[in-house]
Amino acid sequence: MDLDEGAEAIESFTGGETVAVPCEGDSIVEPHEGMEFESEDAAKIFYDEYARRVGFVMRVMSCRRSERDGRILARRLGCNKEGYCVSIRGKFGPVRKPRPSTREGCKAMIHIKFDKSGKWVITRFVKDHNHPLVVAPREARQTMDEKDKKIQELTAELRNKKRLCAAYQEQLTAFMKIVEEHSNQLSKKVQNVVNNLKEYESIELELLQHR
């Protein structure tokens, strides 16, 4: 699917019906609580396209992971003007030249959650922004700034490392189990030899007593 084509459509599923973001000039399909997507990425694509049409830049924000396997269970997607920049000051004043802040404490966002049905569902939608919205051509706009891209790259790398670590841990556990089984078998054989020796010594001692 080419998002640059006039007949672009980003699909999700709400009650079995396909929901699409219409081409420019048509009405904009807004997110709403209960809207479903096939994947987290599908939700990101939808909200990013919605952001482009409305006039803001999407920011991929915090997520909640499974404590068992590290899978992402919920995610917040919001405006890049969310939050505030915190000034870093030294003991005798600013330690670096201050830059214009792009953060304005905007609360606009959607919260998506992985549902037991296997789909991703919008559980909360905050529409209003506290700053002007500017619709820019796609060519002049970046979905994410460089910091967001770097965070996503590092997050993906960390996820892969965790999966690799989990695989190694599983292999190590299986190996330790095999070693333990062999150790138990060896212990049984050694114990059998000891018992046989004791029995032999007992018989030998009894024969000596009868001589």
Side-chain angles (χ1 to χ4, degrees), residues 31 47-48 50-52 54-62 76-84 102-111 125-134 141-145 147-148:
Y47 193 63
D48 179 50
Y50 167 76
R52 184 181 75 85
V54 171
F56 67 97
V57 177
M58 179 189 78
R59 180 183 294 277
V60 178
M61 300 194 292
S62 60
R76 281 199 313 136
L77 305 173
C79 176
N80 73 328
K81 295 185 181 296
E82 177 266 347
Y84 296 94
T102 59
R103 303 293 187 92
E104 299 183 23
C106 183
K107 301 292 186 183
M109 53 83 76
I110 63 171
H111 183 271
F125 170 47
V126 178
K127 175 181 177 180
D128 295 332
H129 296 255
N130 65 347
H131 56 88
L133 300 176
V134 181
R141 172 186 171 275
Q142 288 185 339
T143 298
M144 297 174 289
D145 59 27
K147 184 172 70 173
D148 289 326

mmCIF file of all heavy atoms in Angstrom, residues 31 47-48 50-52 54-62 76-84 102-111 125-134 141-145 147-148:
data_model
loop_
_atom_site.group_PDB
_atom_site.id
_atom_site.type_symbol
_atom_site.label_atom_id
_atom_site.label_comp_id
_atom_site.label_asym_id
_atom_site.label_seq_id
_atom_site.Cartn_x
_atom_site.Cartn_y
_atom_site.Cartn_z
ATOM 1 N N PRO A 31 -9.679 8.984 15.448
ATOM 2 C CA PRO A 31 -9.600 7.816 16.347
ATOM 3 C C PRO A 31 -10.762 7.869 17.329
ATOM 4 O O PRO A 31 -11.300 8.939 17.617
ATOM 5 C CB PRO A 31 -8.260 8.023 17.066
ATOM 6 C CG PRO A 31 -7.518 9.031 16.257
ATOM 7 C CD PRO A 31 -8.529 9.891 15.599
ATOM 8 N N TYR A 47 -2.489 6.553 13.274
ATOM 9 C CA TYR A 47 -2.416 7.799 14.047
ATOM 10 C C TYR A 47 -1.425 8.772 13.413
ATOM 11 O O TYR A 47 -1.639 9.991 13.447
ATOM 12 C CB TYR A 47 -2.020 7.495 15.491
ATOM 13 C CG TYR A 47 -2.233 8.665 16.425
ATOM 14 C CD1 TYR A 47 -3.515 9.177 16.650
ATOM 15 C CD2 TYR A 47 -1.162 9.265 17.095
ATOM 16 C CE1 TYR A 47 -3.722 10.250 17.507
ATOM 17 C CE2 TYR A 47 -1.357 10.337 17.952
ATOM 18 C CZ TYR A 47 -2.641 10.821 18.155
ATOM 19 O OH TYR A 47 -2.837 11.892 19.002
ATOM 20 N N ASP A 48 -0.371 8.264 12.812
ATOM 21 C CA ASP A 48 0.590 9.122 12.128
ATOM 22 C C ASP A 48 -0.064 9.823 10.939
ATOM 23 O O ASP A 48 0.147 11.014 10.713
ATOM 24 C CB ASP A 48 1.783 8.285 11.678
ATOM 25 C CG ASP A 48 2.823 9.116 10.941
ATOM 26 O OD1 ASP A 48 3.220 10.176 11.476
ATOM 27 O OD2 ASP A 48 3.225 8.719 9.838
ATOM 28 N N TYR A 50 -3.303 10.329 10.587
ATOM 29 C CA TYR A 50 -4.271 11.268 11.167
ATOM 30 C C TYR A 50 -3.562 12.546 11.604
ATOM 31 O O TYR A 50 -4.049 13.662 11.355
ATOM 32 C CB TYR A 50 -4.967 10.597 12.357
ATOM 33 C CG TYR A 50 -5.755 11.548 13.233
ATOM 34 C CD1 TYR A 50 -6.987 12.032 12.832
ATOM 35 C CD2 TYR A 50 -5.242 11.947 14.470
ATOM 36 C CE1 TYR A 50 -7.711 12.901 13.641
ATOM 37 C CE2 TYR A 50 -5.956 12.817 15.282
ATOM 38 C CZ TYR A 50 -7.190 13.290 14.860
ATOM 39 O OH TYR A 50 -7.901 14.160 15.663
ATOM 40 N N ALA A 51 -2.401 12.400 12.244
ATOM 41 C CA ALA A 51 -1.636 13.566 12.706
ATOM 42 C C ALA A 51 -1.238 14.444 11.525
ATOM 43 O O ALA A 51 -1.326 15.677 11.592
ATOM 44 C CB ALA A 51 -0.392 13.103 13.462
ATOM 45 N N ARG A 52 -0.800 13.842 10.436
ATOM 46 C CA ARG A 52 -0.386 14.599 9.264
ATOM 47 C C ARG A 52 -1.532 15.425 8.705
ATOM 48 O O ARG A 52 -1.370 16.589 8.345
ATOM 49 C CB ARG A 52 0.160 13.664 8.181
ATOM 50 C CG ARG A 52 0.700 14.391 6.956
ATOM 51 C CD ARG A 52 1.195 13.416 5.917
ATOM 52 N NE ARG A 52 0.085 12.778 5.213
ATOM 53 C CZ ARG A 52 -0.523 13.326 4.151
ATOM 54 N NH1 ARG A 52 -0.150 14.500 3.706
ATOM 55 N NH2 ARG A 52 -1.502 12.686 3.559
ATOM 56 N N VAL A 54 -4.301 16.369 10.334
ATOM 57 C CA VAL A 54 -4.804 17.364 11.283
ATOM 58 C C VAL A 54 -3.805 18.512 11.443
ATOM 59 O O VAL A 54 -4.201 19.675 11.593
ATOM 60 C CB VAL A 54 -5.090 16.703 12.649
ATOM 61 C CG1 VAL A 54 -5.407 17.745 13.706
ATOM 62 C CG2 VAL A 54 -6.278 15.746 12.512
ATOM 63 N N GLY A 55 -2.489 18.198 11.421
ATOM 64 C CA GLY A 55 -1.496 19.251 11.496
ATOM 65 C C GLY A 55 -0.555 19.188 12.679
ATOM 66 O O GLY A 55 -0.140 20.222 13.196
ATOM 67 N N PHE A 56 -0.201 17.984 13.125
ATOM 68 C CA PHE A 56 0.814 17.859 14.167
ATOM 69 C C PHE A 56 1.703 16.658 13.867
ATOM 70 O O PHE A 56 1.439 15.909 12.921
ATOM 71 C CB PHE A 56 0.172 17.737 15.569
ATOM 72 C CG PHE A 56 -0.601 16.472 15.807
ATOM 73 C CD1 PHE A 56 -0.012 15.393 16.459
ATOM 74 C CD2 PHE A 56 -1.923 16.341 15.404
ATOM 75 C CE1 PHE A 56 -0.717 14.226 16.703
ATOM 76 C CE2 PHE A 56 -2.642 15.172 15.638
ATOM 77 C CZ PHE A 56 -2.036 14.118 16.279
ATOM 78 N N VAL A 57 2.754 16.510 14.645
ATOM 79 C CA VAL A 57 3.710 15.408 14.438
ATOM 80 C C VAL A 57 3.516 14.375 15.536
ATOM 81 O O VAL A 57 3.492 14.711 16.720
ATOM 82 C CB VAL A 57 5.161 15.926 14.455
ATOM 83 C CG1 VAL A 57 6.147 14.768 14.312
ATOM 84 C CG2 VAL A 57 5.370 16.929 13.337
ATOM 85 N N MET A 58 3.379 13.131 15.145
ATOM 86 C CA MET A 58 3.174 12.062 16.116
ATOM 87 C C MET A 58 4.472 11.751 16.846
ATOM 88 O O MET A 58 5.559 11.760 16.260
ATOM 89 C CB MET A 58 2.686 10.791 15.421
ATOM 90 C CG MET A 58 2.466 9.626 16.373
ATOM 91 S SD MET A 58 2.134 8.051 15.538
ATOM 92 C CE MET A 58 3.778 7.581 15.021
ATOM 93 N N ARG A 59 4.351 11.478 18.126
ATOM 94 C CA ARG A 59 5.488 11.017 18.925
ATOM 95 C C ARG A 59 5.133 9.656 19.531
ATOM 96 O O ARG A 59 4.056 9.492 20.113
ATOM 97 C CB ARG A 59 5.824 12.012 20.033
ATOM 98 C CG ARG A 59 7.022 11.568 20.888
ATOM 99 C CD ARG A 59 7.280 12.557 22.021
ATOM 100 N NE ARG A 59 7.696 13.849 21.520
ATOM 101 C CZ ARG A 59 8.945 14.161 21.182
ATOM 102 N NH1 ARG A 59 9.901 13.256 21.302
ATOM 103 N NH2 ARG A 59 9.247 15.359 20.737
ATOM 104 N N VAL A 60 6.026 8.682 19.378
ATOM 105 C CA VAL A 60 5.845 7.373 20.014
ATOM 106 C C VAL A 60 6.315 7.501 21.455
ATOM 107 O O VAL A 60 7.481 7.786 21.713
ATOM 108 C CB VAL A 60 6.630 6.282 19.280
ATOM 109 C CG1 VAL A 60 6.459 4.935 19.981
ATOM 110 C CG2 VAL A 60 6.180 6.188 17.827
ATOM 111 N N MET A 61 5.409 7.287 22.403
ATOM 112 C CA MET A 61 5.716 7.558 23.803
ATOM 113 C C MET A 61 5.844 6.255 24.595
ATOM 114 O O MET A 61 6.283 5.245 24.070
ATOM 115 C CB MET A 61 4.666 8.509 24.370
ATOM 116 C CG MET A 61 4.638 9.850 23.620
ATOM 117 S SD MET A 61 3.738 11.167 24.453
ATOM 118 C CE MET A 61 2.059 10.573 24.351
ATOM 119 N N SER A 62 5.445 6.299 25.841
ATOM 120 C CA SER A 62 5.725 5.192 26.760
ATOM 121 C C SER A 62 4.938 3.932 26.399
ATOM 122 O O SER A 62 3.927 3.977 25.697
ATOM 123 C CB SER A 62 5.375 5.610 28.190
ATOM 124 O OG SER A 62 4.006 5.948 28.286
ATOM 125 N N ARG A 76 1.383 4.353 24.319
ATOM 126 C CA ARG A 76 0.830 5.693 24.148
ATOM 127 C C ARG A 76 1.447 6.341 22.920
ATOM 128 O O ARG A 76 2.654 6.296 22.733
ATOM 129 C CB ARG A 76 1.104 6.574 25.376
ATOM 130 C CG ARG A 76 0.191 6.327 26.541
ATOM 131 C CD ARG A 76 0.190 7.503 27.509
ATOM 132 N NE ARG A 76 1.537 7.964 27.836
ATOM 133 C CZ ARG A 76 1.898 9.240 27.877
ATOM 134 N NH1 ARG A 76 1.032 10.189 27.587
ATOM 135 N NH2 ARG A 76 3.134 9.582 28.208
ATOM 136 N N LEU A 77 0.586 6.926 22.075
ATOM 137 C CA LEU A 77 1.025 7.698 20.923
ATOM 138 C C LEU A 77 0.483 9.103 21.096
ATOM 139 O O LEU A 77 -0.710 9.270 21.378
ATOM 140 C CB LEU A 77 0.498 7.086 19.622
ATOM 141 C CG LEU A 77 0.820 5.606 19.380
ATOM 142 C CD1 LEU A 77 0.088 5.103 18.149
ATOM 143 C CD2 LEU A 77 2.316 5.399 19.222
ATOM 144 N N GLY A 78 1.333 10.099 20.947
ATOM 145 C CA GLY A 78 0.866 11.451 21.210
ATOM 146 C C GLY A 78 1.462 12.475 20.280
ATOM 147 O O GLY A 78 2.003 12.163 19.216
ATOM 148 N N CYS A 79 1.376 13.715 20.709
ATOM 149 C CA CYS A 79 1.875 14.857 19.949
ATOM 150 C C CYS A 79 3.332 15.111 20.324
ATOM 151 O O CYS A 79 3.727 14.910 21.477
ATOM 152 C CB CYS A 79 1.013 16.081 20.266
ATOM 153 S SG CYS A 79 1.578 17.602 19.475
ATOM 154 N N ASN A 80 4.142 15.576 19.360
ATOM 155 C CA ASN A 80 5.550 15.817 19.669
ATOM 156 C C ASN A 80 5.759 17.031 20.576
ATOM 157 O O ASN A 80 6.871 17.287 21.015
ATOM 158 C CB ASN A 80 6.370 15.971 18.386
ATOM 159 C CG ASN A 80 6.121 17.295 17.690
ATOM 160 O OD1 ASN A 80 5.023 17.842 17.741
ATOM 161 N ND2 ASN A 80 7.131 17.806 17.010
ATOM 162 N N LYS A 81 4.689 17.760 20.868
ATOM 163 C CA LYS A 81 4.780 18.877 21.808
ATOM 164 C C LYS A 81 4.312 18.468 23.210
ATOM 165 O O LYS A 81 4.044 19.309 24.060
ATOM 166 C CB LYS A 81 3.968 20.074 21.298
ATOM 167 C CG LYS A 81 4.531 20.658 19.996
ATOM 168 C CD LYS A 81 3.782 21.900 19.581
ATOM 169 C CE LYS A 81 4.328 22.448 18.269
ATOM 170 N NZ LYS A 81 5.736 22.904 18.398
ATOM 171 N N GLU A 82 4.233 17.167 23.436
ATOM 172 C CA GLU A 82 3.857 16.640 24.751
ATOM 173 C C GLU A 82 4.977 16.927 25.747
ATOM 174 O O GLU A 82 6.165 16.879 25.416
ATOM 175 C CB GLU A 82 3.618 15.136 24.644
ATOM 176 C CG GLU A 82 3.295 14.445 25.956
ATOM 177 C CD GLU A 82 4.529 13.851 26.629
ATOM 178 O OE1 GLU A 82 5.577 13.762 25.956
ATOM 179 O OE2 GLU A 82 4.445 13.508 27.817
ATOM 180 N N GLY A 83 4.609 17.216 27.005
ATOM 181 C CA GLY A 83 5.588 17.423 28.060
ATOM 182 C C GLY A 83 6.264 18.778 27.980
ATOM 183 O O GLY A 83 5.874 19.662 27.201
ATOM 184 N N TYR A 84 7.305 18.932 28.788
ATOM 185 C CA TYR A 84 8.061 20.182 28.829
ATOM 186 C C TYR A 84 9.545 19.859 28.832
ATOM 187 O O TYR A 84 9.964 18.823 29.343
ATOM 188 C CB TYR A 84 7.727 20.998 30.088
ATOM 189 C CG TYR A 84 6.293 21.472 30.143
ATOM 190 C CD1 TYR A 84 5.322 20.732 30.814
ATOM 191 C CD2 TYR A 84 5.916 22.655 29.513
ATOM 192 C CE1 TYR A 84 4.006 21.164 30.861
ATOM 193 C CE2 TYR A 84 4.602 23.100 29.565
ATOM 194 C CZ TYR A 84 3.646 22.351 30.234
ATOM 195 O OH TYR A 84 2.345 22.781 30.277
ATOM 196 N N THR A 102 10.502 22.905 21.978
ATOM 197 C CA THR A 102 9.416 22.456 21.100
ATOM 198 C C THR A 102 8.311 21.777 21.898
ATOM 199 O O THR A 102 7.304 21.369 21.335
ATOM 200 C CB THR A 102 9.946 21.451 20.056
ATOM 201 O OG1 THR A 102 10.527 20.331 20.745
ATOM 202 C CG2 THR A 102 10.998 22.087 19.178
ATOM 203 N N ARG A 103 8.494 21.657 23.208
ATOM 204 C CA ARG A 103 7.520 21.023 24.072
ATOM 205 C C ARG A 103 6.609 22.082 24.700
ATOM 206 O O ARG A 103 7.093 23.086 25.216
ATOM 207 C CB ARG A 103 8.203 20.223 25.177
ATOM 208 C CG ARG A 103 9.178 19.157 24.703
ATOM 209 C CD ARG A 103 8.477 18.032 23.961
ATOM 210 N NE ARG A 103 9.384 16.952 23.650
ATOM 211 C CZ ARG A 103 9.585 15.891 24.432
ATOM 212 N NH1 ARG A 103 8.948 15.795 25.589
ATOM 213 N NH2 ARG A 103 10.414 14.939 24.065
ATOM 214 N N GLU A 104 5.314 21.851 24.664
ATOM 215 C CA GLU A 104 4.366 22.820 25.199
ATOM 216 C C GLU A 104 3.340 22.177 26.132
ATOM 217 O O GLU A 104 2.303 22.758 26.416
ATOM 218 C CB GLU A 104 3.648 23.548 24.051
ATOM 219 C CG GLU A 104 4.598 24.327 23.158
ATOM 220 C CD GLU A 104 3.880 25.098 22.063
ATOM 221 O OE1 GLU A 104 2.675 25.391 22.247
ATOM 222 O OE2 GLU A 104 4.514 25.391 21.041
ATOM 223 N N GLY A 105 3.626 20.959 26.576
ATOM 224 C CA GLY A 105 2.709 20.298 27.504
ATOM 225 C C GLY A 105 1.417 19.839 26.861
ATOM 226 O O GLY A 105 0.377 19.761 27.535
ATOM 227 N N CYS A 106 1.452 19.519 25.577
ATOM 228 C CA CYS A 106 0.233 19.092 24.873
ATOM 229 C C CYS A 106 -0.217 17.724 25.390
ATOM 230 O O CYS A 106 0.584 16.818 25.567
ATOM 231 C CB CYS A 106 0.494 19.039 23.373
ATOM 232 S SG CYS A 106 -0.969 18.611 22.404
ATOM 233 N N LYS A 107 -1.517 17.570 25.588
ATOM 234 C CA LYS A 107 -2.068 16.330 26.151
ATOM 235 C C LYS A 107 -2.688 15.410 25.089
ATOM 236 O O LYS A 107 -3.164 14.317 25.419
ATOM 237 C CB LYS A 107 -3.144 16.663 27.189
ATOM 238 C CG LYS A 107 -2.640 17.514 28.360
ATOM 239 C CD LYS A 107 -1.676 16.766 29.225
ATOM 240 C CE LYS A 107 -1.288 17.556 30.461
ATOM 241 N NZ LYS A 107 -0.293 16.845 31.283
ATOM 242 N N ALA A 108 -2.717 15.867 23.834
ATOM 243 C CA ALA A 108 -3.355 15.058 22.785
ATOM 244 C C ALA A 108 -2.651 13.711 22.659
ATOM 245 O O ALA A 108 -1.426 13.642 22.606
ATOM 246 C CB ALA A 108 -3.317 15.793 21.466
ATOM 247 N N MET A 109 -3.415 12.638 22.605
ATOM 248 C CA MET A 109 -2.819 11.302 22.538
ATOM 249 C C MET A 109 -3.874 10.242 22.300
ATOM 250 O O MET A 109 -5.075 10.504 22.406
ATOM 251 C CB MET A 109 -2.090 10.979 23.852
ATOM 252 C CG MET A 109 -2.892 11.130 25.110
ATOM 253 S SD MET A 109 -3.957 9.691 25.556
ATOM 254 C CE MET A 109 -2.730 8.571 26.173
ATOM 255 N N ILE A 110 -3.406 9.042 21.954
ATOM 256 C CA ILE A 110 -4.252 7.842 22.022
ATOM 257 C C ILE A 110 -3.502 6.807 22.846
ATOM 258 O O ILE A 110 -2.273 6.780 22.864
ATOM 259 C CB ILE A 110 -4.612 7.255 20.636
ATOM 260 C CG1 ILE A 110 -3.355 6.777 19.892
ATOM 261 C CG2 ILE A 110 -5.419 8.225 19.812
ATOM 262 C CD1 ILE A 110 -3.675 5.989 18.628
ATOM 263 N N HIS A 111 -4.262 5.978 23.537
ATOM 264 C CA HIS A 111 -3.692 4.866 24.293
ATOM 265 C C HIS A 111 -4.222 3.590 23.673
ATOM 266 O O HIS A 111 -5.433 3.394 23.558
ATOM 267 C CB HIS A 111 -4.104 4.941 25.766
ATOM 268 C CG HIS A 111 -3.497 3.866 26.614
ATOM 269 N ND1 HIS A 111 -4.103 2.638 26.798
ATOM 270 C CD2 HIS A 111 -2.329 3.801 27.302
ATOM 271 C CE1 HIS A 111 -3.346 1.892 27.578
ATOM 272 N NE2 HIS A 111 -2.265 2.569 27.891
ATOM 273 N N PHE A 125 -8.737 8.337 23.960
ATOM 274 C CA PHE A 125 -8.411 9.284 22.899
ATOM 275 C C PHE A 125 -8.585 10.695 23.426
ATOM 276 O O PHE A 125 -9.663 11.067 23.895
ATOM 277 C CB PHE A 125 -9.311 9.057 21.683
ATOM 278 C CG PHE A 125 -9.221 10.133 20.636
ATOM 279 C CD1 PHE A 125 -7.991 10.597 20.193
ATOM 280 C CD2 PHE A 125 -10.374 10.693 20.091
ATOM 281 C CE1 PHE A 125 -7.901 11.582 19.227
ATOM 282 C CE2 PHE A 125 -10.292 11.678 19.128
ATOM 283 C CZ PHE A 125 -9.058 12.132 18.690
ATOM 284 N N VAL A 126 -7.497 11.473 23.415
ATOM 285 C CA VAL A 126 -7.551 12.895 23.781
ATOM 286 C C VAL A 126 -7.328 13.680 22.497
ATOM 287 O O VAL A 126 -6.246 13.621 21.905
ATOM 288 C CB VAL A 126 -6.472 13.256 24.830
ATOM 289 C CG1 VAL A 126 -6.534 14.749 25.150
ATOM 290 C CG2 VAL A 126 -6.668 12.435 26.095
ATOM 291 N N LYS A 127 -8.333 14.429 22.067
ATOM 292 C CA LYS A 127 -8.309 15.096 20.769
ATOM 293 C C LYS A 127 -7.635 16.467 20.813
ATOM 294 O O LYS A 127 -6.862 16.816 19.922
ATOM 295 C CB LYS A 127 -9.742 15.248 20.248
ATOM 296 C CG LYS A 127 -9.843 16.033 18.953
ATOM 297 C CD LYS A 127 -11.294 16.168 18.522
ATOM 298 C CE LYS A 127 -11.406 17.018 17.255
ATOM 299 N NZ LYS A 127 -12.815 17.166 16.818
ATOM 300 N N ASP A 128 -7.934 17.277 21.827
ATOM 301 C CA ASP A 128 -7.574 18.687 21.819
ATOM 302 C C ASP A 128 -6.081 18.922 22.035
ATOM 303 O O ASP A 128 -5.458 18.302 22.896
ATOM 304 C CB ASP A 128 -8.372 19.436 22.886
ATOM 305 C CG ASP A 128 -9.864 19.432 22.589
ATOM 306 O OD1 ASP A 128 -10.210 19.361 21.387
ATOM 307 O OD2 ASP A 128 -10.664 19.485 23.541
ATOM 308 N N HIS A 129 -5.535 19.886 21.263
ATOM 309 C CA HIS A 129 -4.159 20.337 21.398
ATOM 310 C C HIS A 129 -4.155 21.724 22.027
ATOM 311 O O HIS A 129 -5.131 22.474 21.898
ATOM 312 C CB HIS A 129 -3.464 20.403 20.032
ATOM 313 C CG HIS A 129 -3.335 19.076 19.359
ATOM 314 N ND1 HIS A 129 -2.142 18.380 19.273
ATOM 315 C CD2 HIS A 129 -4.260 18.298 18.724
ATOM 316 C CE1 HIS A 129 -2.333 17.249 18.610
ATOM 317 N NE2 HIS A 129 -3.612 17.177 18.266
ATOM 318 N N ASN A 130 -3.075 22.078 22.694
ATOM 319 C CA ASN A 130 -2.983 23.400 23.323
ATOM 320 C C ASN A 130 -2.086 24.341 22.519
ATOM 321 O O ASN A 130 -1.519 25.288 23.049
ATOM 322 C CB ASN A 130 -2.453 23.291 24.760
ATOM 323 C CG ASN A 130 -1.019 22.769 24.805
ATOM 324 O OD1 ASN A 130 -0.504 22.266 23.800
ATOM 325 N ND2 ASN A 130 -0.380 22.897 25.961
ATOM 326 N N HIS A 131 -1.944 24.069 21.216
ATOM 327 C CA HIS A 131 -1.077 24.873 20.345
ATOM 328 C C HIS A 131 -1.676 24.872 18.950
ATOM 329 O O HIS A 131 -2.501 24.005 18.623
ATOM 330 C CB HIS A 131 0.338 24.271 20.319
ATOM 331 C CG HIS A 131 0.358 22.837 19.903
ATOM 332 N ND1 HIS A 131 0.453 22.434 18.593
ATOM 333 C CD2 HIS A 131 0.248 21.696 20.642
ATOM 334 C CE1 HIS A 131 0.432 21.118 18.535
ATOM 335 N NE2 HIS A 131 0.300 20.645 19.763
ATOM 336 N N PRO A 132 -1.276 25.804 18.115
ATOM 337 C CA PRO A 132 -1.803 25.837 16.744
ATOM 338 C C PRO A 132 -1.401 24.587 15.963
ATOM 339 O O PRO A 132 -0.316 24.045 16.146
ATOM 340 C CB PRO A 132 -1.146 27.091 16.144
ATOM 341 C CG PRO A 132 -0.742 27.914 17.311
ATOM 342 C CD PRO A 132 -0.404 26.957 18.415
ATOM 343 N N LEU A 133 -2.301 24.141 15.088
ATOM 344 C CA LEU A 133 -2.031 22.989 14.234
ATOM 345 C C LEU A 133 -1.692 23.494 12.836
ATOM 346 O O LEU A 133 -2.374 24.363 12.302
ATOM 347 C CB LEU A 133 -3.244 22.057 14.189
ATOM 348 C CG LEU A 133 -3.673 21.479 15.541
ATOM 349 C CD1 LEU A 133 -4.953 20.660 15.382
ATOM 350 C CD2 LEU A 133 -2.576 20.628 16.153
ATOM 351 N N VAL A 134 -0.643 22.940 12.266
ATOM 352 C CA VAL A 134 -0.174 23.384 10.953
ATOM 353 C C VAL A 134 -0.088 22.181 10.026
ATOM 354 O O VAL A 134 0.716 21.271 10.253
ATOM 355 C CB VAL A 134 1.213 24.060 11.048
ATOM 356 C CG1 VAL A 134 1.658 24.522 9.660
ATOM 357 C CG2 VAL A 134 1.167 25.224 12.020
ATOM 358 N N ARG A 141 7.667 17.242 5.949
ATOM 359 C CA ARG A 141 7.383 16.835 7.326
ATOM 360 C C ARG A 141 8.063 15.526 7.661
ATOM 361 O O ARG A 141 8.127 14.634 6.835
ATOM 362 C CB ARG A 141 5.872 16.688 7.483
ATOM 363 C CG ARG A 141 5.437 16.089 8.807
ATOM 364 C CD ARG A 141 3.933 15.860 8.772
ATOM 365 N NE ARG A 141 3.529 15.106 9.917
ATOM 366 C CZ ARG A 141 3.552 13.786 9.990
ATOM 367 N NH1 ARG A 141 3.984 13.091 8.983
ATOM 368 N NH2 ARG A 141 3.135 13.172 11.083
ATOM 369 N N GLN A 142 8.570 15.386 8.848
ATOM 370 C CA GLN A 142 9.122 14.132 9.333
ATOM 371 C C GLN A 142 8.184 13.568 10.374
ATOM 372 O O GLN A 142 7.678 14.297 11.228
ATOM 373 C CB GLN A 142 10.495 14.345 9.975
ATOM 374 C CG GLN A 142 11.587 14.659 8.965
ATOM 375 C CD GLN A 142 12.934 14.747 9.642
ATOM 376 O OE1 GLN A 142 13.022 14.955 10.850
ATOM 377 N NE2 GLN A 142 13.975 14.588 8.858
ATOM 378 N N THR A 143 7.927 12.271 10.286
ATOM 379 C CA THR A 143 7.042 11.637 11.262
ATOM 380 C C THR A 143 7.630 11.713 12.653
ATOM 381 O O THR A 143 6.950 11.992 13.630
ATOM 382 C CB THR A 143 6.827 10.161 10.883
ATOM 383 O OG1 THR A 143 6.196 10.111 9.616
ATOM 384 C CG2 THR A 143 5.935 9.471 11.904
ATOM 385 N N MET A 144 8.913 11.462 12.766
ATOM 386 C CA MET A 144 9.576 11.482 14.065
ATOM 387 C C MET A 144 10.877 12.254 13.938
ATOM 388 O O MET A 144 11.507 12.233 12.886
ATOM 389 C CB MET A 144 9.880 10.048 14.529
ATOM 390 C CG MET A 144 8.661 9.203 14.746
ATOM 391 S SD MET A 144 9.110 7.497 15.105
ATOM 392 C CE MET A 144 9.712 6.973 13.505
ATOM 393 N N ASP A 145 11.257 12.952 14.974
ATOM 394 C CA ASP A 145 12.556 13.606 14.951
ATOM 395 C C ASP A 145 13.646 12.563 15.152
ATOM 396 O O ASP A 145 13.384 11.393 15.406
ATOM 397 C CB ASP A 145 12.636 14.733 15.987
ATOM 398 C CG ASP A 145 12.384 14.221 17.403
ATOM 399 O OD1 ASP A 145 12.651 13.030 17.651
ATOM 400 O OD2 ASP A 145 11.930 15.002 18.252
ATOM 401 N N LYS A 147 15.771 12.054 17.482
ATOM 402 C CA LYS A 147 15.841 11.432 18.805
ATOM 403 C C LYS A 147 14.840 10.287 18.921
ATOM 404 O O LYS A 147 15.158 9.219 19.454
ATOM 405 C CB LYS A 147 15.564 12.468 19.893
ATOM 406 C CG LYS A 147 15.710 11.912 21.304
ATOM 407 C CD LYS A 147 15.609 13.002 22.339
ATOM 408 C CE LYS A 147 14.205 13.551 22.426
ATOM 409 N NZ LYS A 147 14.067 14.502 23.562
ATOM 410 N N ASP A 148 13.622 10.503 18.403
ATOM 411 C CA ASP A 148 12.602 9.446 18.447
ATOM 412 C C ASP A 148 13.050 8.238 17.639
ATOM 413 O O ASP A 148 12.855 7.087 18.044
ATOM 414 C CB ASP A 148 11.273 9.966 17.900
ATOM 415 C CG ASP A 148 10.625 10.967 18.840
ATOM 416 O OD1 ASP A 148 10.789 10.802 20.061
ATOM 417 O OD2 ASP A 148 9.972 11.895 18.357
#
